[in-house]
Amino acid sequence: MIARLLAMAAMVLACLTATARADDLLIRNVRLIDLTAETPRWSAPQSVLVTSDRIAAIGPDITAPDDTKVIDGKGGYLLPGLTDMHVHVWDRAALGAYLAHGVTTVRNASGMPFHLDLAAKIDAGTLAGPRLLTTGPILNSHGANEQLNHQFVATEEEARAAVRWQHAAGFRHIKVYSNLTREAWAGIRAEAATLGMTVMGHTPEGVRASGVPVDHPFDMGFDQFLDADFVTIEHVESIVWHGLRNRHDSAAARALAQRIAASGTPVDPTLVAFRNLLHVAETKGAYLRRPGSEWMNPMLVATEQPVYDRWTNEAVEPNRAAFEFYKQMTKMMADAGVLMVAGSDAGIFTNIPGGSLIDELELLAEAGLSPAEALRMATLNPAQVLGEEDARGTVAQGMAADLVLTGADPLQGFATLRRPALVVAAGRLYDRAALDALLTEAAQQDLSRTQANVVAGLKAQGNDVSALTGG
Ligand SMILES: [Zn+2]
């Protein structure tokens, strides 16, 4: 009797999980690549069996159970799903634009409570989107780089309290920013260590005195952050600003790249963010209205208007020269052996969700990295940086079923990633028609839903929202 009850309970459980589970998939006739190899090569066509959210088997000739959905990959190229290590999601509408470009994991770099809710819905399979990792709200002190959505702290005690609030709200990763005071940084670092939270972001400068960085050094120098356990340091232009005191000096840059490499601190250069602003200047603003801009969040676009106006009128030549230096610095970091990841800063400035990561891969190649190096930065390296290399970042048996299939070889040109043949995210299949439907939905913006979520987040983190709500 007890055995029968247990068997019935097991059947009920099996039914419950089956409803939440994706169909099993057999993707036949696809080429695979081992990106861990120094010179990666594509395999002869193989079959890949996906069961639930894992890769169950890979081989030339796999037979699958009868109810498995079989897909002909037509000799295409199957890659691990891409990870964008630096995005800003303002509303669920943008999520489909990531998936449609093969991005199956994003790391949101300015979190609010609604991101935790979105992440849970994506995990449960009730909302289509990439796996959503998020930091808490950006921790900053008032100063030159402050923004409306930052959570402001100045003293050590304020910083500790903010970190405790973030932890209690459900966040496990912290984003720090450039203006943090010495005292606030000390409080964040200590409290994060106590609570087991990780830290990423901009290296804090301390209070910025006049004449910094050319006539006087920063209050806190860049190098002290190389043993501060950052998961990643973000933005090559911020590294040049803080680490080189904004001097475009190749010898100093090479030495800095070597110190970063020696420290083992990973870097996310986000070349595309500055390049896009440069394009705004070069086109006198026309670039803001390029195809794909319909996937930008309307609240964010309104907020960025002063930035757009400034860059529309910026001088082109000095910024073009600066961008060349940022590419050189990125190549120097790669050559020095810095562990680097690909991030796009999608969702802010004019960085379009999804496509900006493909732009970033192209820019990394333009900077002189090999296509395989660039592709590792969106697959293997994020898994390593996030401590997930046993579960993600490669197409192999037992790994997460996060996959992207392209019709052409992406190592011969990343453009093929702009229109993948299909994407599998957590074992769920999105064929080309489904990806196109996601893009249509991504353009259906909801300003009031965005404002409601963001205002609730700002209130929860203790900001004054009267400027936003008109009160
Ligand atoms: Zn960002």
Side-chain angles (χ1 to χ4, degrees):
M1 184 63 188
I2 288 168
R4 270 187 63 195
L5 279 174
L6 281 175
M8 279 174 66
M11 275 174 63
V12 169
L13 272 176
C15 288
L16 285 174
T17 45
T19 53
R21 248 177 59 175
D23 287 342
D24 291 351
L25 304 171
L26 182 65
I27 310 172
R28 302 182 60 178
N29 192 17
V30 287
R31 295 166 197 280
L32 309 177
I33 196 164
D34 177 9
L35 286 168
T36 62
E38 201 173 310
T39 313
R41 289 186 210 297
W42 293 99
S43 73
Q46 305 275 312
S47 293
V48 175
L49 178 66
V50 170
T51 304
S52 182
D53 60 356
R54 299 277 132 188
I55 297 171
I58 295 177
D61 193 22
I62 294 175
T63 44
D66 285 348
D67 55 350
T68 304
K69 185 173 172 64
V70 180
I71 296 149
D72 180 5
K74 299 179 180 162
Y77 301 79
L78 193 70
L79 292 166
L82 306 178
T83 295
D84 190 332
M85 287 290 274
H86 192 136
V87 307
H88 296 273
V89 172
W90 301 104
D91 182 54
R92 60 199 289 173
L95 296 171
Y98 290 103
L99 276 185
H101 291 84
V103 179
T104 54
T105 295
V106 295
R107 183 174 61 163
N108 181 66
S110 51
M112 291 187 168
F114 78 89
H115 291 105
L116 298 171
D117 181 49
L118 292 181
K121 289 191 166 96
I122 293 165
D123 279 347
T126 56
L127 176 64
R131 184 170 67 113
L132 177 60
L133 311 176
T134 189
T135 71
I138 294 172
L139 289 169
N140 201 8
S141 307
H142 290 293
N145 294 354
E146 71 178 73
Q147 287 160 18
L148 275 176
N149 62 327
H150 293 174
Q151 187 175 16
F152 292 101
V153 291
T155 66
E156 178 168 347
E157 204 33 62
E158 283 169 2
R160 283 178 177 271
V163 171
R164 285 195 296 271
W165 175 83
Q166 292 199 7
H167 188 271
F171 298 106
R172 293 295 175 266
H173 309 290
I174 288 169
K175 163 97 175 267
V176 293
Y177 219 72
S178 319
N179 297 139
L180 280 171
T181 63
R182 239 171 221 280
E183 297 73 22
W185 163 246
I188 290 166
R189 196 174 178 199
E191 200 65 36
T194 302
L195 295 171
M197 297 172 79
T198 64
V199 175
M200 59 82 82
H202 299 216
T203 47
E205 304 169 6
V207 175
R208 195 188 291 177
S210 65
V212 167
V214 177
D215 302 330
H216 305 289
F218 292 100
D219 178 36
M220 285 190 281
F222 177 85
D223 279 49
Q224 73 185 82
F225 296 96
L226 294 180
D227 62 0
D229 297 323
F230 270 56
V231 175
T232 51
I233 293 176
E234 301 297 305
H235 314 306
V236 63
E237 65 271 40
S238 299
I239 293 172
V240 169
W241 166 261
H242 195 191
L244 295 176
R245 295 173 64 190
N246 214 28
R247 286 166 305 178
H248 295 183
D249 172 336
S250 295
R254 192 166 288 110
L256 177 60
Q258 280 159 1
R259 295 200 301 280
I260 298 172
S263 76
T265 309
V267 165
D268 179 3
T270 66
L271 282 169
V272 65
F274 189 86
R275 196 286 309 261
N276 282 351
L277 293 173
L278 172 61
H279 273 354
V280 173
E282 286 170 335
T283 62
K284 293 273 169 248
Y287 195 64
L288 295 166
R289 295 175 293 277
R290 69 196 184 280
S293 55
E294 67 274 23
W295 304 321
M296 291 294 295
N297 185 273
M299 184 202 75
L300 186 282
V301 167
T303 310
E304 295 283 27
Q305 199 55 52
V307 177
Y308 296 161
D309 292 343
R310 195 191 115 207
W311 277 90
T312 298
N313 297 301
E314 270 281 335
V316 170
E317 280 315 320
N319 288 298
R320 215 175 250 165
F323 185 58
E324 285 308 309
F325 188 75
Y326 299 149
K327 284 195 288 185
Q328 286 166 21
M329 176 81 207
T330 301
K331 170 69 170 150
M332 284 176 197
M333 289 192 285
D335 290 348
V338 176
L339 178 58
M340 291 201 294
V341 294
S344 69
D345 226 349
I348 68 160
F349 297 151
T350 174
N351 308 326
I352 290 169
S356 292
L357 185 68
I358 316 305
D359 294 343
E360 180 72 11
L361 296 178
E362 290 175 344
L363 291 171
L364 291 165
E366 199 180 298
L369 279 72
S370 73
E373 276 181 294
L375 212 44
R376 283 187 196 109
M377 285 174 62
T379 54
L380 273 181
N381 297 3
Q384 193 179 336
V385 162
L386 296 168
E388 302 178 329
E389 62 268 53
D390 294 340
R392 297 177 183 278
T394 51
V395 179
Q397 188 178 347
M399 303 299 263
D402 288 345
L403 303 163
V404 51
L405 179 70
T406 58
D409 177 359
L411 294 177
Q412 303 299 320
F414 294 121
T416 189
L417 287 164
R418 295 184 190 279
R419 260 189 89 72
L422 64 83
V423 172
V424 177
R428 291 185 180 81
L429 172 70
Y430 299 87
D431 62 12
R432 192 57 246 171
L435 297 173
D436 286 336
L438 286 176
L439 288 176
T440 304
E441 281 173 42
Q444 259 120 67
Q445 302 286 350
D446 191 328
L447 182 59
S448 57
R449 185 175 62 197
T450 307
Q451 285 170 329
N453 281 331
V454 170
V455 167
L458 292 175
K459 280 185 180 162
Q461 73 193 41
N463 290 37
D464 176 8
V465 296
S466 53
L468 288 170
T469 52

